[in-house]
Amino acid sequence: MGILVTGATGNIGKELIRLVIASNTNAQVFAAVRDIDKARKSFALLAGLKFRAFDYEEPNSFNSALSGIDIVFLLRPPHILNIKKYYVPLLDSLKKQGIKKVVLLSVQGAESSAIIPHRKIELLVLQYQFDSIFVRPSYFMQNLTTTLLADIKAHNAIVLPSKNAKFNWVDIVNVAEACAVYLTAFDKYKNRAFDITGNENYDFSYVVSRINAITGATIEYRPVSPIRFILFELKNKMKISLILVMCLLHFLPRLQGEPKKSDVYVRLFGREPNTIDSFIRANKILLSQHQD
Ligand SMILES: NC(=O)c1ccc[n+]([C@@H]2O[C@H](COP(=O)([O-])OP(=O)(O)OC[C@H]3O[C@@H](n4cnc5c(N)ncnc54)[C@H](OP(=O)(O)O)[C@@H]3O)[C@@H](O)[C@H]2O)c1
């Protein structure tokens, strides 16, 4: 069996590939990447992994990447907003190659929104009648050490249009663990959607207080309006496409009420998902290095 993982170099993809290979599956795992040489270096210690050149924005790359593959892990790279333009040709190619199984990384709440791009991909996957599993995670703890880290380092602050909205915090390791099970035992879980969440709903003010308490940092949480957020990040030279995604991701929860906690992870693994405190402890050095 051939498993193709797109977004292989990203948060979930990296962890997912490591876990699927560690599971000693008989399947051959392929990392679908834009830059094979670079990816080969970052996965250097993983024996048995193969690579396929693949670009969501280059339909010419689809057929060779998908050849001989049985199951595909799909996601939406955060900058891709035009779903029809990129995913229709991709799903056409999957069909042409005889691929029947898709695991899609979506997002919690996708089912109740007609406008978020992940829902548009879900609907296309259903329309094409693939056997599918939709994985819908909540808010990644790793945002603290990726997209939010530049402001922590440069301004000793987390600046967001979130006010006191609560987010459900999930560790990507737990999301990847679930995805690995869905890829390797696909038939058992197929044609369902699963929310993968942590057990904690906290606002940014609380999470920042935990970072400071655990690491000794003095980070400030600065809630701002969406407009102020956009202006602030433009000044910081963040790409406009990322600013808009970040703005929506952090503003919408103000309108949505408290996120739901799911017991899917506990039922899958018989243990609790990771906590925000354990994540902060594991990333203590990174989170406490403010550049004066
Ligand atoms: N952040 C959150 O809190 C959160 C919560 C729930 C769901 N999600 C969803 O999770 C998804 C992102 O997953 P992630 O965090 O694991 O990814 P990520 O770390 O943002 O990385 C994006 C991945 O997509 C690849 N990529 C970008 N453009 C590409 C293209 N044109 N063709 C092929 N590959 C491309 C990147 O590869 P390169 O190395 O080539 O750049 C990278 O591997 C998004 O859809 C997001 O909405 C996020």
Side-chain angles (χ1 to χ4, degrees):
M1 186 174 72
I3 296 177
L4 186 80
V5 177
T6 71
T9 54
N11 284 316
I12 300 287
K14 248 188 286 176
E15 198 60 34
L16 174 59
I17 285 178
R18 191 184 63 75
L19 287 164
V20 173
I21 288 184
S23 76
N24 286 324
T25 168
N26 289 326
Q28 173 62 55
V29 184
F30 295 88
V33 294
R34 292 192 285 188
D35 184 337
I36 290 188
D37 288 341
K38 204 168 135 199
R40 237 187 251 288
K41 281 181 199 139
S42 60
F43 286 108
L45 297 176
L46 264 192
L49 178 64
K50 293 190 174 171
F51 296 87
R52 290 275 172 90
F54 172 83
D55 188 332
Y56 272 99
E57 291 153 283
E58 277 300 332
N60 288 340
S61 71
F62 297 166
N63 280 340
S64 52
L66 296 169
S67 160
I69 298 297
D70 300 285
I71 173 164
V72 183
F73 177 78
L74 293 179
L75 50 62
R76 179 189 70 92
H79 68 281
I80 292 188
L81 293 170
N82 190 338
I83 298 307
K84 232 181 183 173
K85 177 173 176 191
Y86 297 112
Y87 286 80
V88 166
L90 175 60
L91 297 182
D92 279 341
S93 290
L94 261 78
K95 277 273 162 188
K96 226 181 278 162
Q97 297 283 343
I99 296 169
K100 296 188 171 65
K101 302 177 181 184
V102 170
V103 175
L104 171 67
L105 179 67
S106 181
V107 65
Q108 188 180 28
E111 69 281 15
S112 49
S113 166
I115 55 159
I116 64 171
H118 307 75
R119 182 58 181 162
K120 293 182 185 163
I121 306 174
E122 288 186 3
L123 291 173
L124 273 178
V125 168
L126 294 174
Q127 194 182 316
Y128 273 76
Q129 299 187 324
F130 290 104
D131 279 332
S132 61
I133 297 172
F134 299 155
V135 184
R136 297 183 180 138
S138 54
Y139 187 83
F140 296 169
M141 295 178 189
Q142 277 73 4
N143 293 330
L144 292 167
T145 50
T146 55
T147 45
L148 301 176
L149 192 63
D151 286 350
I152 294 177
K153 288 206 175 300
H155 304 285
N156 205 25
I158 290 181
V159 181
L160 287 173
S162 305
K163 236 178 170 175
N164 55 354
K166 286 193 176 165
F167 292 75
N168 178 278
W169 296 78
V170 72
D171 189 330
I172 57 149
V173 173
N174 297 149
V175 180
E177 284 172 331
C179 291
V181 170
Y182 299 142
L183 279 175
T184 51
F186 183 89
D187 289 340
K188 186 169 172 195
Y189 299 98
K190 69 183 175 185
N191 301 326
R192 292 162 69 192
F194 299 100
D195 281 10
I196 305 294
T197 73
N199 271 342
E200 299 166 310
N201 288 346
Y202 296 136
D203 65 12
F204 270 93
S205 171
Y206 179 79
V207 169
V208 166
S209 75
R210 293 308 301 153
I211 296 175
N212 290 341
I214 292 169
T215 70
T218 54
I219 299 166
E220 176 199 355
Y221 169 49
R222 232 184 279 163
V224 291
S225 69
I227 295 292
R228 272 193 181 280
F229 173 75
I230 291 168
L231 294 174
F232 179 76
E233 295 302 358
L234 279 174
K235 228 172 163 183
N236 290 333
K237 308 229 174 328
M238 190 187 274
K239 272 191 184 162
I240 185 68
S241 56
L242 183 57
I243 295 177
L244 295 177
V245 169
M246 293 266 292
C247 192
L248 273 184
L249 179 66
H250 294 97
F251 176 75
L252 287 181
R254 280 168 59 172
L255 313 175
Q256 290 166 336
E258 223 175 283
K260 289 197 184 102
K261 294 175 192 172
S262 145
D263 64 353
V264 167
Y265 183 87
V266 177
R267 282 194 282 115
L268 258 183
F269 296 105
R271 59 176 185 269
E272 296 295 323
N274 298 346
T275 63
I276 193 76
D277 276 10
S278 66
F279 174 78
I280 294 168
R281 272 195 292 273
N283 290 278
K284 193 171 168 176
I285 294 174
L286 201 53
L287 287 168
S288 58
Q289 281 175 343
H290 168 228
Q291 292 159 352
D292 283 310

